[in-house]
């Protein structure tokens, strides 16, 4: 499927034809030094998808998602450069963010929040 150049998509957003999704995709040959809000960077080397890189929408940490190997995520990109990533993304390190990305939009999971606190029944 043909994808529109990002500059065209940005133009359509700027003039109000499209609503800006939470994420658009940029293909890169290696991980970027700095991550931009609103973009997922798909690392492609030798024609093969390797990794996705993005800033956590909650805490801003770098999230790196594997696209190659036996245990991997999948990404589909529509003609407007909006990604759909499966399965969900769960930032298990710092902020516990857990979400799906569907057509470029974040869909938060219900378990998002602080780690569960155990409350003793014996006070």
């Amino acid at each position: 499927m043909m994808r529109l150049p990002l500059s065209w998509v940005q133009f359509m957003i700027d003039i109000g034809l499209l609503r800006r999704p939470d994420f658009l995709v940029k293909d890169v040959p290696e991980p970027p030094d700095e991550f931009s809000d609103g973009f997922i960077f798909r690392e492609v080397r030798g024609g093969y998808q390797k990794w996705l890189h993005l800033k956590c929408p909650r805490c801003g940490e770098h999230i790196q998602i594997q696209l190659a190997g036996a245990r991997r995520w999948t990404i589909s990109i529509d003609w407007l450069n909006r990604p759909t990533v499966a399965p969900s993304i769960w930032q298990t390190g710092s902020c516990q963010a857990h979400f799906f990305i569907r057509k470029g939009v974040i869909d938060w999971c219900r378990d998002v929040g602080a780690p569960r606190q155990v409350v003793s029944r014996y006070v």
Side-chain angles (χ1 to χ4, degrees), residues 65-111:
I65 299 169
Q66 184 173 339
L67 294 175
R71 296 186 58 150
R72 65 179 180 266
W73 278 254
T74 60
I75 182 171
S76 59
I77 304 166
D78 69 10
W79 66 283
L80 292 171
N81 293 290
R82 299 176 304 183
T84 297
V85 179
S88 66
I89 300 166
W90 196 344
Q91 172 66 305
T92 58
S94 59
C95 70
Q96 301 293 311
H98 189 195
F99 55 96
F100 287 90
I101 298 175
R102 296 183 178 118
K103 290 189 178 181
V105 176
I106 297 170
D107 184 7
W108 292 100
C109 295
R110 291 179 188 239
D111 58 3

Side-chain angles (χ1 to χ4, degrees), residues 26-31 41-45 48-53 64 67:
K26 283 186 182 178
D27 288 339
V28 295
E30 57 187 47
F41 298 91
R42 181 174 66 161
E43 187 178 336
V44 180
R45 284 188 263 144
Y48 295 99
Q49 301 181 109
K50 298 294 184 176
W51 299 94
L52 291 181
H53 303 275
Q64 182 171 310
L67 294 175

